[in-house]
Amino acid sequence: MDYFLFGLVIAGILKSCNGTAGNRTLPYNKQLHEDLFSRYGTTSVRPVRDNSLPVEVRFFYKPFILSEFDEQNQRLSVVGSLYMGWTDEFLVWDPADYGGVHRFSVRAKDIWFPDITAYERLDPGTAMANVFEPYAIVHDNGHIDYYDRTELTVYCRLEMTLFPFDTQRCKVAFTSYSYDSDQFALEYANSTAAMENVFDPNGVWRLDHIEVEQIEKMYLCCASPFVEVHYTLIMQRIGNFYVYSIWIPSCLLSSMILAVFVMHPNSGEKVSLSVSNVLAFVLFQQIVVGSMPRSGDDSPVIVAFFSAMIAISCLSVLASAVVLRVYHHDPRKPVPRIFRWICLRPKHDRERESASVLTRNTDQVGNDENGHHDLGSPTKGYDNIIRNDTVDDPPLRYNGPTEISISDIEMIRTSRQNREETDWMILALMMDKVFLAIAVFALLGTLAYCGISYIVLVQ
């Protein structure tokens, strides 16, 4: 019996020695992985031995590529480098027991992982900040470093007042959805690597700088606050493209409004040029509006400029129609007294004096004792003809021995009609000058408003 027990002990010792020798045939890193994760347990439990203590997580996000900026939908897609560091108390070992192994890599899903996410995130899929499934680096003291190249698509509220010289502030808040500050101590990793600006301008936007703020925020759901790290990406638009493709052509096109009133009414192109200006400004406005979000909170200065130019162009169409109507007015109707007195009186008096030469010093066949022709004379009714020809002109009376024929009467009537036609033309040209002055004042006022608005809002 004693020999039997002794044999069992010897067999057990030999088996144990063989097993130890077999285990030592594994690489140290694999043996370390098996030993740690054989007793690690579930990955949903926070990696602390004292459950009253929070897990301290250091975090930073460093953008370096602007992949897309959908301004209409106010969506910003940024590719950047993400870092998270924390301590897992269940992943600690002595490097001397494993051949001097101080660290190894492990899949992120095999360990407890912080559920940090961005509030403004819009892209579908996992709520985790990481998009891929990279590996985390585990150190012998339990500290874990996690690096990831991730693309975030977030909502960014745009302020388009100064377009195309605008500066946008896109805010992104990172926090944990599951743990409050008693269980999860999020801290911004303020290091040289975190503050390095490696953003690559894409030709439209450049990253001016990044503002980072760490706050604690209370929610109605929980008794303890949540720690949040707020990133503010301050990006400035490179507006050279819009200056050369929109602003300069628009300012040059504005001068065409003045050309409408400089053009002579006989050219026949006043209305067509005015309508072309309206259509051109509407086209430019649609191009600009098409690249802006549908927002009613702010009014871009450039949209106000195009609205004013469209209004002025529409009024120029109306003014051109009025000028052409006056220019081609029926000469049998006289110019109203108020316009004649304001615009035409000096010139009209000279023309009337020159036209009266046709009838000056002519004789009339039948004269009464007062020197005027009587009703039975060959020129009976002539005085009424001349008197009723124009309302404003005094009747012409003639003294002398010469008889006035019907052809002379028609010549005088035609002369006065020609004079009235000239008066309408002169009035139309005067109106063109008035409308030109109004258009110059409106254009300068609009440009001054836009320039002052840009200066004030930038400051």
Side-chain angles (χ1 to χ4, degrees):
M1 187 66 179
D2 293 337
Y3 290 106
F4 178 74
L5 293 177
F6 180 76
L8 291 177
V9 171
I10 295 298
I13 293 174
L14 293 175
K15 183 178 180 180
S16 175
C17 294
N18 292 333
T20 303
N23 287 339
R24 288 180 180 175
T25 60
L26 292 176
Y28 285 110
N29 54 354
K30 286 185 174 291
Q31 184 65 47
L32 176 61
H33 186 277
E34 289 186 2
D35 292 346
L36 291 177
F37 287 95
S38 62
R39 59 179 185 271
Y40 188 79
T42 179
T43 59
S44 61
V45 179
R46 294 184 306 117
V48 289
R49 299 187 182 277
D50 187 352
N51 194 48
S52 62
L53 298 178
V55 179
E56 297 182 357
V57 179
R58 293 172 58 83
F59 168 87
F60 74 78
Y61 182 77
K62 182 169 58 179
F64 50 80
I65 295 178
L66 176 62
S67 60
E68 183 183 5
F69 201 164
D70 187 352
E71 298 181 27
Q72 286 190 339
N73 298 317
Q74 304 186 83
R75 295 167 60 97
L76 174 66
S77 297
V78 180
V79 177
S81 174
L82 182 145
Y83 167 77
M84 289 185 290
W86 67 97
T87 298
D88 192 325
E89 297 181 3
F90 300 114
L91 296 177
V92 180
W93 72 92
D94 186 359
D97 297 338
Y98 296 94
V101 176
H102 292 274
R103 63 178 185 177
F104 69 94
S105 298
V106 63
R107 291 183 300 179
K109 69 177 184 178
D110 292 337
I111 59 176
W112 180 89
F113 196 86
D115 64 336
I116 297 177
T117 187
Y119 278 151
E120 296 81 3
R121 190 176 184 121
L122 298 177
D123 53 329
T126 177
M128 305 287 286
N130 57 306
V131 177
F132 309 104
E133 188 184 7
Y135 284 76
I137 302 175
V138 184
H139 299 267
D140 56 1
N141 59 354
H143 182 75
I144 298 176
D145 291 320
Y146 174 81
Y147 296 93
D148 189 12
R149 179 187 180 276
T150 179
E151 181 177 5
L152 289 178
T153 301
V154 296
Y155 171 78
C156 180
R157 171 71 172 82
L158 299 184
E159 173 65 39
M160 304 296 293
T161 304
L162 295 177
F163 177 88
F165 309 107
D166 52 322
T167 299
Q168 301 299 334
R169 300 174 61 91
C170 297
K171 296 183 179 180
V172 184
F174 293 94
T175 188
S176 171
Y177 267 8
S178 304
Y179 304 105
D180 56 24
S181 59
D182 292 338
Q183 300 175 309
F184 191 91
L186 182 62
E187 179 183 358
Y188 170 64
N190 188 7
S191 61
T192 303
M195 298 303 296
E196 182 183 7
N197 187 353
V198 294
F199 190 83
D200 185 16
N202 65 345
V204 180
W205 297 94
R206 62 170 174 264
L207 184 64
D208 192 5
H209 63 281
I210 301 176
E211 296 179 355
V212 184
E213 181 183 12
Q214 180 176 328
I215 65 172
E216 292 187 358
K217 189 173 182 179
M218 290 292 301
Y219 291 92
L220 297 178
C221 65
C222 308
S224 299
F226 283 75
V227 181
E228 300 178 359
V229 176
H230 289 193
Y231 274 77
T232 302
L233 308 180
I234 302 176
M235 298 181 297
Q236 186 175 6
R237 188 191 303 269
I238 304 174
N240 295 338
F241 171 77
Y242 298 97
V243 170
Y244 292 111
S245 62
I246 295 179
W247 264 118
I248 293 180
S250 300
C251 293
L252 295 177
L253 187 61
S254 302
S255 62
M256 301 303 293
I257 300 177
L258 305 180
V260 173
F261 303 109
V262 176
M263 186 177 296
H264 197 276
N266 275 338
S267 63
E269 300 294 335
K270 290 177 70 70
V271 175
S272 60
L273 179 59
S274 302
V275 174
S276 299
N277 288 337
V278 175
L279 297 178
F281 278 117
V282 171
L283 177 61
F284 271 107
Q285 186 188 43
Q286 293 303 313
I287 294 176
V288 173
V289 173
S291 62
M292 294 183 179
R294 306 298 190 264
S295 176
D297 295 340
D298 47 25
S299 178
V301 176
I302 191 172
V303 173
F305 169 79
F306 281 118
S307 299
M309 291 298 102
I310 293 174
I312 296 174
S313 299
C314 292
L315 293 177
S316 70
V317 176
L318 179 60
S320 298
V322 172
V323 169
L324 291 176
R325 178 68 179 87
V326 172
Y327 189 84
H328 299 287
H329 198 278
D330 186 1
R332 292 175 297 179
K333 296 182 180 180
V335 177
R337 186 186 303 271
I338 181 65
F339 294 111
R340 186 189 299 277
W341 185 83
I342 295 176
C343 302
L344 307 174
R345 184 175 182 181
K347 188 175 183 63
H348 174 77
D349 291 343
R350 292 194 299 269
E351 291 179 351
R352 184 175 61 181
E353 181 179 357
S354 62
S356 65
V357 174
L358 293 172
T359 57
R360 190 172 299 164
N361 300 323
T362 57
D363 296 327
Q364 187 173 6
V365 172
N367 294 333
D368 55 14
E369 65 263 4
N370 295 325
H372 298 142
H373 68 274
D374 56 13
L375 296 177
S377 66
T379 58
K380 179 180 178 181
Y382 172 75
D383 197 30
N384 290 330
I385 292 174
I386 303 300
R387 182 183 297 111
N388 294 329
D389 187 39
T390 60
V391 177
D392 296 331
D393 293 335
L396 298 178
R397 300 182 184 274
Y398 302 93
N399 296 316
T402 305
E403 178 182 355
I404 298 180
S405 64
I406 298 300
S407 62
D408 295 330
I409 297 174
E410 293 301 327
M411 182 180 63
I412 296 173
R413 183 191 297 276
T414 302
S415 175
R416 288 192 171 180
Q417 288 180 354
N418 291 337
R419 187 175 69 245
E420 292 296 339
E421 183 179 5
T422 303
D423 288 348
W424 283 112
M425 293 180 180
I426 295 173
L427 178 60
L429 296 177
M430 292 293 295
M431 294 176 64
D432 253 346
K433 294 179 181 180
V434 173
F435 290 143
L436 175 62
I438 296 175
V440 170
F441 178 80
L443 289 176
L444 293 179
T446 302
L447 294 176
Y449 166 77
C450 295
I452 294 174
S453 299
Y454 277 121
I455 295 174
V456 172
L457 293 175
V458 167
Q459 293 178 351

